[in-house]
Amino acid sequence: MDSTKRESSGHGHFQDAYEAARVLSGKWVFAVLVQLAEGPRYHNDLARSTGMAENKPLDRTLHRLVHTRMVDRTVHNVGGSAPRVRYRLTQRGYSVLPIIDELAGWWRATEMPEH
């Protein structure tokens, strides 16, 4: 189905929203994006600033964000020691920040009082 038919059917719009939600889902995605909004970070800095005690969940989150072109990964070889990996938001990553802010505002505005 071409993109015109897909959009007019509404199904494509739903599918696009579903894919966006799938990419942004995950316990640490928002935390990583918000930390990177402050500027590029090295892996260990991200682990500390997001409060992640284990590397595996952070690695999975970063892999997903790099794969979806929301985050850029650069390896810096430092003579004789292990390479340092730096992450930064891409234009696509920055473009999702207002959506995160909007979502947070929606949640605050519609939050139900505790019983």
Side-chain angles (χ1 to χ4, degrees):
M1 177 181 324
D2 71 22
S3 64
T4 315
K5 288 181 183 175
R6 191 171 150 219
E7 287 176 21
S8 65
S9 71
H11 182 266
H13 187 70
F14 170 78
Q15 187 64 34
D16 291 342
Y18 173 81
E19 288 300 318
R22 187 183 61 76
V23 167
L24 295 173
S25 68
K27 185 174 181 179
W28 300 104
V29 171
F30 283 7
V32 169
L33 292 173
V34 168
Q35 289 300 313
L36 289 176
E38 297 175 6
R41 300 269 178 118
Y42 288 101
H43 186 279
N44 290 341
D45 298 334
L46 272 173
R48 273 191 301 277
S49 65
T50 56
M52 297 179 84
E54 296 181 24
N55 279 334
K56 196 170 187 176
L58 177 59
D59 292 342
R60 268 189 260 133
T61 299
L62 288 167
H63 178 78
R64 177 197 281 174
L65 292 172
V66 168
H67 179 75
T68 57
R69 299 181 328 271
M70 297 182 76
V71 169
D72 185 44
R73 177 183 188 270
T74 305
V75 178
H76 297 274
N77 289 314
V78 182
S81 63
R84 294 191 69 197
V85 181
R86 188 176 76 166
Y87 296 90
R88 68 174 183 81
L89 287 183
T90 62
Q91 185 175 356
R92 187 176 200 198
Y94 277 109
S95 72
V96 79
L97 295 175
I99 297 167
I100 293 171
D101 287 340
E102 187 71 26
L103 189 58
W106 167 79
W107 183 252
R108 277 190 305 276
T110 62
E111 193 171 16
M112 296 179 52
E114 292 184 30
H115 291 23

